[in-house]
Amino acid sequence: MMKWWTQYAERWATLRGKPALDSLLANTRPDQPLADRIDWAEDILGWIRRDLPAARFKLLLQLLDRQPEVRQRVAQTLRSLIRDTQALDLFADTGLSQGTGFIHELGSRLTAGLLPDSPDTRDLADVFDRLFPHETDATWLEQLDAELAARIIALFHQDETPEEAGWASLKADMEDAMVQLADRIRVIGCQREIRSRMTKSVFRDLPFQKLGPALTALLERKNAGTPIRELAAELNLVRTRAEACDRCVDEVVACLEKSGVHTALVYDIERLRAQVRRLELLLDAWSAPPGDVQRTMSVLADLVRENHERRSAVALCRQNLHLITRRIVERNAETGDHYVARNGPEYTSMLKSAMGGGAITGLTTVIKLVLATFAMAGFIKGAAFGLNYAISFVAIQIFGFTLATKQPANTAPALARRMAELRKPAHLEALVDEVVFLIRSQIAAVFGNLVAVIPATLAIDFLWVQVFGHHLANTHKAETILESMSPMSACWIYAVFTGILLWLSSMIAAWADNRFVLHRLGPMITQHRRMQRLLGPTTTRRIAQWLERNMAGLAGNISLGLLLGLAPEFATFLGLPLDVRHVTLSTGQVSAAFASLGIDHLYSQTALWTVVGVLGVGVLNIAVSFGLALTVAMRARNVKGPERKIFYRALGGRMLKSPLSFILPVGVVSSNGHAVQKET
């Protein structure tokens, strides 16, 4: 007997236009047009998935057992759906990208949900989309027990008549799908872009070439009358060829992570990998014994799951951008290692390097204040500010100095790279040590920047007064600067926006470095004949080597400068109340403001609020850029939630046992209370 809430839900579904089970069974007619039979099957499955699908399946079968005539009509209708449709595309295409390119595929997925289903189709793949519209359908299909699954499959054969012979065409369509997949694998796997990233081998010996003939030999023996149980050798050969194709794909992926990543190539690789896996899935289903109903339901669930991934734009981006993101964060990890001070001498070196960066930033602040006095259009002013920042940041890079806010986005990937095996105590301790080194390196860099930018700005302002007779900032400008850095203003919101720009510049930097490596620009410059004639072979080679080492830094510094200069102007154009607040640049401007207003303002409440505002800007700049970079890096390296929790607990334990080590290189106490590592 159905529970009262189930009956209520069924009545409510009926009122909403979803027919009840009695009505569906009464209207079952195998001689209806195909479109009407598809609608009937869609309604039946809609009734089943409303609540507890397994229980509803049992109820349906019980009702059919008590009504032989209805059961016969239902079985005939189910058989007619398979008889009047073709399953080739269901097996060969459902859930797989169609090879039209990443951009076209993305556009197709974004618009697919807006278009109605085809009303008249004989493609079982289209019917499949309608019958299983929810991703959760895969879960309840897998959870059906073997006995119930066997009863459902037996329903298709219930009261089968000789006139209906030939309705079960699924196995033949599955064989055709395997042949089609093998052909596609051969075409994609033998492309020049794929072959050039594999170990050199004879073209005819590639596993992509051998997969199709092995599959053809298997199917020919089966069609000649050999039982499947006697085809073990042929089956194993096909599986071996498919596994060899998988290994070749892994080899290409490993090469991409070292030599650079291209979106179109990654798209082809994902297609190739998915097609190999689909072939293996169909081969297992095809060779399964007739009574293995669990295998049948598992294949059906996999098709449902992959079909929803095939329709998801988010899944497409995740699959095809994973390698690109990983390549970017790996490059940031390589460039970010030198930003981490692990011992006393490196800590001192970081302070000196940061002070050099702060001194150059002081000059940058002065140039910005001068540029602000000129009447310029918004875009021109933003471009001028951006070029000023970019030149300054590039100078900091060339002289080997450090800008504190650029560290987090580069050091976070270096941290994520060490999160691979957190469940091993030694790896966990090493990771926590690295976090301690990283945090105090950030503090040292910020301190060094601020310690240098203040006297540098004051010194230039003093010289400016001696030469021109007035301060860099007049009284009104100085008061405006101090008000803009008060916590009561929107400076902290702008600091968050600046943190996003800092992270974005690090991604641009690694993307540019990836393009440099991918297109082998270094060797191309080295072998450039005109440059060799003009500069000489040695100088040309040195330029190429310098660009290889510094391309990421150049792209990051230039992009950051332009973003800081132009982003506020574009925001104004769009009507968005956004500005930038960079802690070192803001500190330089505040120093110029106090120099203009006089020493008495240092003891005012405004000065106190300004200091609080500047400190908050620094914290938010670093926290936002570090958080975004760490999140992307952990996703690229598939660091899961449990590993993150283990890491956070260990970090908290370290902070309780040795808080001073997060600020100064005085020693690191292991979070498990073991040995103490002294630093000199």
Side-chain angles (χ1 to χ4, degrees), residues 405 491-505 560 564 579-583 617 620-621 624-625:
T405 50
C491 68
W492 287 353
I493 296 176
Y494 300 155
V496 171
F497 178 60
T498 305
I500 296 173
L501 297 181
L502 288 163
W503 165 76
L504 184 59
S505 70
L560 176 59
L564 292 177
D579 204 345
V580 294
R581 291 292 184 273
H582 185 279
V583 60
V617 167
L620 290 171
N621 282 167
V624 172
S625 59

Side-chain angles (χ1 to χ4, degrees), residues 261-297:
V261 177
H262 191 276
T263 307
L265 183 56
V266 172
Y267 178 76
D268 284 339
I269 289 173
E270 289 299 327
R271 284 176 55 213
L272 181 59
R273 191 190 297 275
Q275 288 169 357
V276 172
R277 290 176 178 171
R278 174 59 60 81
L279 177 59
E280 292 173 337
L281 176 69
L282 295 181
L283 191 65
D284 287 343
W286 179 82
S287 60
D292 192 351
V293 295
Q294 290 293 80
R295 181 76 60 86
T296 302
M297 302 308 294

Side-chain angles (χ1 to χ4, degrees), residues 75 275 479 513 632:
Q275 288 169 357
E479 291 176 349
D513 182 73
V632 173

Side-chain angles (χ1 to χ4, degrees), residues 436 440 654-667:
V436 174
R440 71 185 184 208
R654 175 69 61 85
M655 189 170 294
L656 292 175
K657 293 181 181 299
S658 182
L660 193 59
S661 65
F662 285 77
I663 302 174
L664 298 171
V666 296

